[in-house]
Amino acid sequence: MRSAVTLPAFVRPLISRGRTWWEDRAPRERALLVVLATILFLWGAWAGVWHPLQQARTAAQSEIRLYTELATRLRTAGPALQTPAAGPIRSQPVQMIVTITASESALQIRQIEQQGEVTRVVLETVDFNRLVQWLDRLERDAGVTVAAGRIERQTAPGVVNARLSLVRQ
């Protein structure tokens, strides 16, 4: 019976020498070599497969515990986190709040003017998403809302000009 796999020519003499070496061993030596090979195989399987899997499992379990604890903390602190900040930002004038928060949001104000209770703001070539996030922050943190506004799309995607009238509630 001929094997389906054709071995390179340099391998055949190696196999022949290996068989000769094995047959020259006494039965007791062969048994010891088989036991040694089995031990080495089992150790390799443990060190290369089982142990790394156990370490990964332990790390994953500790991460799960950490995230579960974090989720519990967030659930218990949730109501406190949702209340608006009554800190120093609410006590400042609207014009100052708008200027500070706009610079923190990387928005450049082209013009700002106060007319009684209304603060008029002009922003040009600003990112729309950043503008919306800024307006949400103004409302959430400082109680400043948009009374009137006009937002015009520009040729660049996601870029707008905005004229806003802001009031504190």
Side-chain angles (χ1 to χ4, degrees):
M1 183 167 148
R2 189 173 174 117
S3 74
V5 178
T6 306
L7 298 174
F10 72 90
V11 174
R12 288 186 186 146
L14 293 175
I15 292 175
S16 175
R17 276 190 256 152
R19 279 189 184 149
T20 304
W21 181 84
W22 181 256
E23 291 168 355
D24 288 345
R25 303 293 120 212
R28 188 174 187 177
E29 284 180 302
R30 287 185 205 167
L32 285 172
L33 288 170
V34 167
V35 169
L36 177 64
T38 304
I39 290 171
L40 287 174
F41 174 77
L42 291 174
W43 177 82
W46 177 82
V49 178
W50 184 260
H51 187 65
L53 285 175
Q54 285 298 95
Q55 287 178 328
R57 182 176 181 250
T58 303
Q61 285 175 336
S62 67
E63 283 184 23
I64 289 171
R65 266 187 250 108
L66 174 74
Y67 290 132
T68 303
E69 182 180 320
L70 181 62
T72 304
R73 282 181 167 176
L74 287 174
R75 269 190 226 105
T76 56
L81 293 175
Q82 292 176 355
T83 56
I89 195 167
R90 284 188 175 260
S91 63
Q92 296 179 6
V94 174
Q95 191 169 358
M96 184 179 285
I97 293 170
V98 168
T99 304
I100 291 170
T101 57
S103 68
E104 289 173 352
S105 297
L107 296 172
Q108 290 187 351
I109 297 175
R110 179 162 169 85
Q111 181 180 353
I112 186 168
E113 60 184 48
Q114 188 77 32
Q115 294 179 344
E117 295 291 317
V118 178
T119 303
R120 299 196 192 285
V121 181
V122 177
L123 301 124
E124 289 185 354
T125 60
V126 296
D127 181 67
F128 178 74
N129 291 330
R130 193 172 287 165
L131 175 68
V132 171
Q133 291 170 352
W134 174 63
L135 292 172
D136 177 58
R137 180 179 175 204
L138 280 175
E139 183 176 355
R140 188 174 17 93
D141 294 348
V144 175
T145 59
V146 178
R150 180 177 178 164
I151 297 176
E152 300 168 344
R153 182 174 63 182
Q154 297 301 301
T155 55
V159 177
V160 296
N161 289 344
R163 298 183 189 287
L164 307 169
S165 297
L166 305 173
V167 294
R168 178 179 280 159
Q169 298 215 350

